[in-house]
């Protein structure tokens, strides 16, 4: 198991010093889901949600969140993100929206947290815009799917 690099030798929290690391191209893909009842799912699918275009609003929110991750997650480095994209797929049979975020940068540290944050905030935005229909929606399965670049190389969820 890897050492906890966010702790110094005395157990105090620290930001990891990445100054000596090489810049490499880094990509991270995260995914999560929102499950809801039929009424909001159908309204969302048909573009009839009273608050507006849910998926486009969630896409913007997710991209903005990726760019602001270091303001939200302690010890997360501010990054110069070169790409942040959000895609959605709808499963009408199960009334599930799958959210996938892809984030890229060239730098000294990865963008896993940015991708996970993007999915999380996109999901929260969907919830917020549809909560008048269904407060029992379930946001779940937010996880890293893939990451490339850096010393640890490639990770793909099996």
């Amino acid at each position: 198991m890897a050492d906890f690099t966010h702790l110094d030798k005395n157990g105090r929290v620290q930001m990891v010093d990445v100054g000596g690391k090489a810049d490499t191209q880094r990509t991270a893909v995260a995914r999560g889901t929102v499950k809801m009842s039929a009424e909001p799912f159908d309204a969302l699918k048909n573009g009839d949600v009273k608050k507006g275009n849910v998926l486009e609003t969630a896409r913007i929110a997710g991209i903005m969140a990726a760019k602001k991750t270091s303001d939200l997650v302690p010890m997360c480095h501010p990054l110069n993100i070169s790409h942040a994209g959000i895609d959605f797929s709808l499963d009408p049979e199960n009334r599930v929206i799958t959210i996938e975020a892809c984030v890229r940068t060239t730098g000294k540290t990865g963008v896993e947290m940015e991708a996970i944050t993007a999915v999380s905030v996109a999901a929260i935005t969907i919830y917020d815009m549809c909560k008048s229909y269904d407060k029992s929606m379930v946001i779940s399965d937010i996880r890293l799917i893939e990451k490339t670049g850096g010393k640890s190389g490639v990770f793909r969820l099996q």
Side-chain angles (χ1 to χ4, degrees):
M1 178 181 245
D3 292 329
F4 289 110
T5 56
H6 285 88
L7 299 176
D8 69 12
K9 65 182 178 184
N10 298 315
R12 295 180 299 218
V13 175
Q14 67 177 358
M15 182 182 234
V16 175
D17 183 355
V18 296
K21 293 171 97 178
D23 284 341
T24 63
Q25 187 171 30
R26 297 162 182 269
T27 301
V29 177
R31 191 177 296 145
T33 62
V34 180
K35 182 171 177 54
M36 60 183 65
S37 62
E39 184 182 8
F41 189 89
D42 291 342
L44 183 148
K45 183 178 70 170
N46 297 327
D48 294 333
V49 174
K50 297 170 197 162
K51 288 188 175 183
N53 188 324
V54 175
L55 297 184
E56 288 308 309
T57 304
R59 186 185 322 274
I60 293 167
I63 291 168
M64 290 174 63
K67 294 169 26 174
K68 292 293 204 174
T69 300
S70 66
D71 292 337
L72 302 170
V73 180
M75 309 308 150
C76 193
H77 292 83
L79 299 178
N80 185 14
I81 293 172
S82 57
H83 170 78
I86 307 276
D87 287 311
F88 304 97
S89 60
L90 299 156
D91 175 356
E93 184 177 329
N94 296 301
R95 298 178 319 276
V96 172
I97 301 161
T98 299
I99 306 159
E100 187 169 289
C102 178
V103 180
R104 284 193 292 273
T105 191
T106 299
K108 300 176 184 305
T109 189
V111 286
E112 296 97 311
M113 296 310 301
E114 287 72 12
I116 291 168
T117 300
V119 168
S120 300
V121 171
I124 291 166
T125 301
I126 292 169
Y127 184 97
D128 180 53
M129 293 186 75
C130 295
K131 69 181 183 263
S132 65
Y133 298 93
D134 179 9
K135 290 181 179 42
S136 67
M137 288 178 280
V138 177
I139 296 169
S140 65
D141 299 321
I142 297 171
R143 62 204 182 277
L144 182 68
I145 300 300
E146 178 180 331
K147 78 96 177 154
T148 63
K151 188 171 79 173
S152 65
V154 175
F155 164 82
R156 285 192 178 88
L157 186 66
Q158 298 299 322

